[in-house]
Amino acid sequence: MISVEQALDKILSCVEVLEEEPRPILDSMGQVLAEDIFSTIDVPPLDNSAMDGYAVRSEDTSGASRQSPRFLRVIDTVMAGSISECEVEPGTAIRIMTGAAIPKGADSVVRFEDTDEVERKGASGETGILCEIKPGLDIRRAGENITRGSLVLRKGVVIRPSEVGVVASLGRSQVMVTRRPTVAVLVTGGELVDINQPLPAGKIYDSNTYSVAALVRRYGGIPEILGVVLDNEDSLVAGLQQGLDADMLITTGGVSMGDYDVVKDVLAKEGEVVFWKVQMKPGKPLAFGRIKGVSKAGIARNILHLGLPGNPVSVMVTFELFARPAILKMMGRKNLAKPTIEAVIKEPITNKDGSRIFARAIVEKCGGQYFAQLTGPQGSGILTSMTLANGLVIVPEDKPEVGKGDIVQVMMLDWNEES
Ligand code: AMP
Ligand code: MG
């Protein structure tokens, strides 16, 4: 049986980075920039005020103090977005709001707090300046954020809200990014009922479709829900054929040793099995390979197929370990690993069969140290445990037991790969 690392290596060596596409900036979050972005403008485009106050000639403030204010005649008011037509001449000032362009003649801004704005001391139509200021004070220079022609964002950057904002500040509405993969999701099992149907005796609701589709979305892919198929080869083949336009196929269930576990047989007949079974728990009966066929669009495809186990927890854990990095790689992301931390485990864990164990845990920080506590019973059908967990405690294959108080590695499920 292969190890978790060997399985991931095999999967990633089959996965290719997808093509580039133009995207509206707001839809590009989490995608990788596929072009260098240069600015065609200065940001800000003009010298402007950093404060609400008065635009002045700094020499006019020489000798000003609270005891002996310098009085300047106010000749205009300018708000953000407007340009004053007046020029600041010796002995005058223009009332100016934050963001408004600095008027001709002025070389600095005196903020209201340094004038007699509140307790007017001089005549009406005048402002009293209460301190000396230096040239350039409270002026934001044209291009101080971004100069025209400069490289603003480099190809390969992962787009976050700050990148979206910076691209918008250049007046651009679209960027070239590596495209998101489409991931077809097909679940197997005669016991499964769609969530929109009543629940007959003996059946259960299909939750895997939704947890997998949610995970696909979380990591930036586009889920394509194919629904439920029965545990026989014909149903499964028919279902898989519906997903051949996707970049990757994910099935759940039907990969164990049971009489009706037909996924690996279908994979062998309709394509190629790269591996079956990984030395881990939960999630051992994972299958990976390729399915060949002709897509709905009439194109011959040889598409990656990840056959996840059926148990809802095994599905989520194996998705995090194998499907998530595959999706991120397709999107051109370079950091594929979830952050792991060291934590003190609050209870013992036994490892009976020499597998890599991923135990659901609640991780908390206390006095500069992380502590991990298991979520309770670790049965791989107990999906509510995943709602409690924020981490997976990793017990290595060669460790039959970790004791209470030992240091363990924990994969942090809600932390970003880029962090
Ligand atoms: P299997 O690997 O197909 O034998 O499934 C293992 C267990 O997971 C069985 O108890 C199934 O009922 C359950 N299971 C399989 N698929 C789903 C699903 N889509 N939603 C919820 N439970 C499932
Ligand atoms: Mg099944």
Side-chain angles (χ1 to χ4, degrees):
M1 208 180 327
I2 63 173
S3 68
V4 171
E5 283 78 19
Q6 287 168 325
L8 183 59
D9 277 355
K10 281 185 195 286
I11 292 170
L12 291 180
S13 68
C14 296
V15 168
E16 280 171 22
V17 179
L18 300 174
E19 321 82 68
E20 301 166 9
E21 63 173 1
R23 289 296 289 167
I25 54 172
L26 202 48
D27 298 339
S28 71
M29 287 269 292
Q31 288 184 276
V32 172
L33 195 59
E35 59 172 331
D36 285 336
I37 295 202
F38 292 90
S39 180
T40 56
I41 56 171
D42 278 332
V43 182
L46 293 171
D47 288 359
N48 67 88
S49 179
M51 286 286 176
D52 296 323
Y54 288 92
V56 300
R57 302 163 75 97
S58 55
E59 72 221 24
D60 279 352
T61 68
S62 127
S65 69
R66 288 192 178 263
Q67 291 72 35
S68 73
R70 282 303 170 99
F71 292 103
L72 300 175
R73 189 161 56 84
V74 181
I75 57 170
D76 196 10
T77 297
V78 58
M79 57 196 254
S82 304
I83 292 181
S84 174
E85 292 188 343
C86 302
E87 184 170 343
V88 176
E89 286 177 342
T92 70
I94 290 178
R95 195 175 162 82
I96 191 166
M97 303 305 134
T98 304
I102 301 297
K104 269 198 227 101
D107 66 2
S108 52
V109 171
V110 191
R111 51 186 196 146
F112 284 145
E113 293 88 328
D114 292 329
T115 69
D116 64 354
E117 187 69 15
V118 181
E119 291 170 56
R120 181 78 61 215
K121 293 187 170 129
S124 93
E126 283 190 340
T127 179
I129 308 295
L130 306 180
C131 65
E132 265 185 33
I133 58 159
K134 293 208 170 75
L137 186 76
D138 284 328
I139 293 184
R140 302 169 179 152
R141 293 292 172 197
E144 80 172 18
N145 182 3
I146 297 167
T147 50
R148 177 201 294 249
S150 65
L151 176 60
V152 183
L153 294 174
R154 241 177 235 290
K155 187 173 169 166
V157 154
V158 180
I159 297 181
R160 300 168 301 166
S162 46
E163 281 73 27
V164 171
V166 164
V167 171
S169 76
L170 306 177
R172 280 188 59 165
S173 59
Q174 292 207 332
V175 284
M176 289 303 289
V177 287
T178 307
R179 136 174 118 71
R180 299 180 187 280
T182 53
V183 180
V185 183
L186 181 71
V187 298
T188 70
E191 74 278 33
L192 303 174
V193 174
D194 184 73
I195 53 174
N196 296 305
Q197 301 298 320
L199 189 65
K203 310 279 184 187
I204 58 168
Y205 280 122
D206 160 29
S207 61
N208 288 347
T209 288
Y210 297 93
S211 55
V212 170
L215 284 163
V216 168
R217 251 194 217 166
R218 175 183 218 178
Y219 296 114
I222 303 165
E224 191 186 321
I225 293 177
L226 300 182
V228 179
V229 291
L230 301 177
D231 297 295
N232 65 67
E233 291 192 14
D234 291 345
S235 295
L236 182 57
V237 170
L240 289 172
Q241 272 163 357
Q242 299 302 306
L244 290 176
D245 283 308
D247 297 299
M248 182 163 75
L249 264 165
I250 292 183
T251 56
T252 75
V255 277
S256 299
M257 306 288 280
D259 295 347
Y260 301 99
D261 289 338
V262 293
V263 169
K264 52 195 185 301
D265 305 329
V266 165
L267 201 50
K269 280 186 196 153
E270 302 290 320
E272 174 202 354
V273 183
V274 175
F275 66 77
W276 176 49
K277 286 192 178 174
V278 182
Q279 198 172 354
M280 64 183 288
K281 195 180 168 185
K284 189 198 282 179
L286 181 85
F288 172 68
R290 290 175 180 279
I291 296 277
K292 288 202 181 82
V294 176
S295 75
K296 282 182 266 176
I299 299 163
R301 298 297 314 274
N302 185 10
I303 148 174
L304 299 180
H305 174 195
L306 204 46
L308 306 183
N311 274 305
V313 172
S314 313
V315 166
M316 295 197 74
V317 170
T318 50
F319 188 106
E320 291 285 359
L321 288 168
F322 303 110
R324 182 190 55 77
I327 289 172
L328 295 180
K329 180 171 176 187
M330 284 191 250
M331 291 175 64
R333 298 270 288 261
K334 292 285 187 292
N335 299 327
L336 307 182
K338 272 276 184 214
T340 56
I341 55 151
E342 287 191 335
V344 175
I345 185 86
K346 286 185 168 177
E347 61 206 284
I349 306 174
T350 48
N351 181 4
K352 290 192 207 101
D353 60 357
S355 291
R356 175 102 38 107
I357 292 189
F358 295 90
R360 283 139 271 157
I362 302 155
V363 179
E364 279 171 343
K365 199 171 192 180
C366 191
Q369 170 73 57
Y370 288 106
F371 291 88
Q373 175 162 27
L374 300 189
T375 53
Q378 296 285 304
S380 50
I382 303 174
L383 188 54
T384 47
S385 63
M386 286 300 287
T387 66
L388 300 172
N390 60 350
L392 295 175
V393 167
I394 304 167
V395 181
E397 296 81 330
D398 59 1
K399 266 218 152 164
E401 186 171 54
V402 295
K404 181 180 174 180
D406 284 359
I407 299 282
V408 289
Q409 294 288 320
V410 190
M411 179 174 159
M412 297 303 286
L413 292 171
D414 296 325
W415 291 14
N416 188 292
E417 292 75 11
E418 305 297 320
S419 57

